[in-house]
């Protein structure tokens, strides 16, 4: 069932709704709802600020991760609807795959469709996909699958997914100094104000010693490091392996030519992987 949405949802209201309704959600099947938003134009000032926060240069082509920000409100609305089975707070973003079918221009007028699908077992609970398509006129130009984990009873029969890349630490391409306020800076441009990303005090309420970086910021920052070498059409997959605590100094490693296929990773200084990725 498709439902048309005229404007970007009010995220503050949706987060308040999530806080109130979360305790009463008891699992079950995923809803068949699809939200559709048409006639989306790019706010150039907002895009410029996103580029600055994530490390992209100013170009007439959208970064591959920017449509995720445009559709984020629709995703949150869907995951706070009465028919969605799990509390929004507590869902863990474990993987993300984006396919760019052709460059998306800042002048393009977009239509976005968001739905959830593929509820399935995970060794640590259950997982599901949030699927987003971005179109220009009738052409799908961008597609994303974000995989979320709802922690629960262990299921040893659930298949363990292969990681998208295995890169040994120790020979980094670059070092990144990620400041303590990185979560707040990304929240301001993305709308993702999950308390685990904002301050140490609010993160501790959810079991983290300090605030953690958004996974989609880490993916965006990695793609910014590959900017200018990516082909016009590609898929970029990432696994979010371990939280990146703020502040941190991390190692970024890229192997191969992104035009022909490449792998990349973000590791802590101790060698633990935060993000593993692949362009193909």
């Amino acid at each position: 069932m498709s439902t048309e949405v005229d404007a970007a949802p009010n995220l503050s209201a949706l987060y308040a709704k999530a806080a109130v309704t979360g305790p009463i959600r008891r699992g079950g099947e995923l809803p068949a709802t699809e939200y559709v938003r048409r006639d989306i134009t790019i706010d150039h000032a907002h895009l410029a600020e996103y580029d600055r926060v994530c490390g992209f240069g100013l170009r007439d082509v959208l970064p591959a991760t920017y449509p995720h920000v445009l559709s984020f409100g629709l995703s949150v609305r869907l995951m706070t609807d009465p028919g969605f089975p799990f509390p929004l707070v507590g869902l863990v973003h474990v993987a993300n795959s984006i396919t760019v079918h052709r460059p998306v221009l800042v002048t393009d007028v977009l239509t976005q469709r968001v739905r959830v699908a593929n509820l399935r077992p995970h060794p640590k609970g259950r997982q599901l996909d949030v699927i987003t398509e971005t179109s220009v006129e009738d052409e799908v130009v961008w597609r994303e699958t974000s995989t979320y984990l709802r922690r629960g009873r262990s299921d040893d029969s659930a298949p363990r997914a292969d990681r998208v890349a295995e890169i040994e630490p120790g020979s980094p391409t670059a070092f990144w100094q990620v400041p303590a306020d990185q979560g707040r800076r990304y929240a301001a441009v993305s709308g993702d104000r999950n308390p685990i990303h904002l301050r140490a005090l609010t993160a501790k309420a959810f079991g983290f010693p300090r605030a953690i970086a958004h996974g989609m910021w880490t993916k965006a920052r990695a793609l910014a490091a590959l900017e200018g070498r990516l082909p016009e059409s590609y898929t970029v997959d990432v696994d979010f392996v371990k939280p990146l605590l703020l502040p941190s100094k991390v190692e970024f490693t890229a192997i191969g030519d992104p035009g022909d296929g490449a792998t990349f990773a973000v590791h802590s200084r101790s060698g633990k992987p935060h993000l593993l990725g692949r362009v193909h």
Side-chain angles (χ1 to χ4, degrees):
M1 179 181 68
S2 292
T3 301
E4 298 275 345
V5 176
D6 294 333
N10 183 322
L11 283 167
S12 296
L14 291 177
Y15 281 128
K17 178 181 177 182
V20 171
T21 63
I24 65 174
R25 298 178 188 267
R26 294 290 184 267
E29 298 302 312
L30 297 177
T33 305
E34 176 186 70
Y35 281 123
V36 182
R37 184 181 169 213
R38 305 181 189 276
D39 299 325
I40 302 169
T41 56
I42 304 304
D43 180 328
H44 289 206
H46 180 264
L47 173 61
E49 183 62 15
Y50 177 87
D51 288 342
R52 188 181 70 81
V53 169
C54 298
F56 292 104
L58 297 176
R59 305 173 62 211
D60 59 358
V61 173
L62 299 184
T65 47
Y66 189 69
H68 170 88
V69 171
L70 297 178
S71 65
F72 182 70
L74 293 183
S75 300
V76 174
R77 177 168 174 177
L78 187 51
M79 291 190 284
T80 54
D81 277 354
F84 189 75
F86 307 119
L88 177 65
V89 176
L91 288 178
V92 181
H93 197 181
V94 293
N96 179 272
S97 176
I98 290 173
T99 297
V100 178
H101 293 288
R102 62 96 157 150
V104 185
L105 305 178
V106 297
T107 53
D108 283 334
V109 179
L110 311 177
T111 295
Q112 293 194 304
R113 298 174 177 272
V114 179
R115 60 187 174 89
V116 290
N118 199 16
L119 181 62
R120 59 201 186 275
H122 182 279
K124 295 182 179 179
R126 287 191 285 174
Q127 59 187 332
L128 61 100
D129 296 330
V130 178
I131 299 170
T132 305
E133 289 185 346
T134 299
S135 302
V136 177
E137 296 181 345
D138 293 327
E139 177 191 9
V140 176
V141 296
W142 182 95
R143 191 176 191 273
E144 175 188 51
T145 300
S146 283
T147 302
Y148 290 88
L149 167 66
R150 170 60 176 173
R151 294 186 183 275
R153 182 179 302 172
S154 298
D155 186 343
D156 293 334
S157 67
R160 295 182 179 273
D162 294 331
R163 289 179 175 173
V164 300
E166 290 290 351
I167 296 178
E168 292 298 321
S171 300
T173 307
F175 293 100
W176 299 347
Q177 191 72 49
V178 188
D181 67 346
Q182 187 61 62
R184 296 191 294 276
R185 294 172 64 223
Y186 184 76
V189 296
S190 69
D192 185 351
R193 298 183 182 278
N194 188 319
I196 64 175
H197 301 302
L198 302 182
R199 299 184 185 278
L201 183 63
T202 54
K204 285 178 180 178
F206 294 91
F208 297 98
R210 304 197 301 273
I212 65 173
H214 295 74
M216 288 305 294
W217 174 83
T218 313
K219 180 173 184 175
R221 182 66 185 84
L223 289 180
L226 303 176
E227 194 171 32
R229 293 181 285 157
L230 294 165
E232 290 196 346
S233 175
Y234 61 94
T235 295
V236 54
D237 303 322
V238 300
D239 288 332
F240 303 117
V241 184
K242 291 185 179 297
L244 197 168
L245 298 174
L246 300 174
S248 285
K249 186 175 183 180
V250 297
E251 299 179 356
F252 173 73
T253 306
I255 299 175
D257 179 358
D260 297 323
T263 55
F264 57 92
V266 177
H267 289 96
S268 69
R269 297 300 301 278
S270 65
K272 295 179 180 179
H274 297 297
L275 176 145
L276 299 171
R278 174 182 62 209
V279 178
H280 58 96

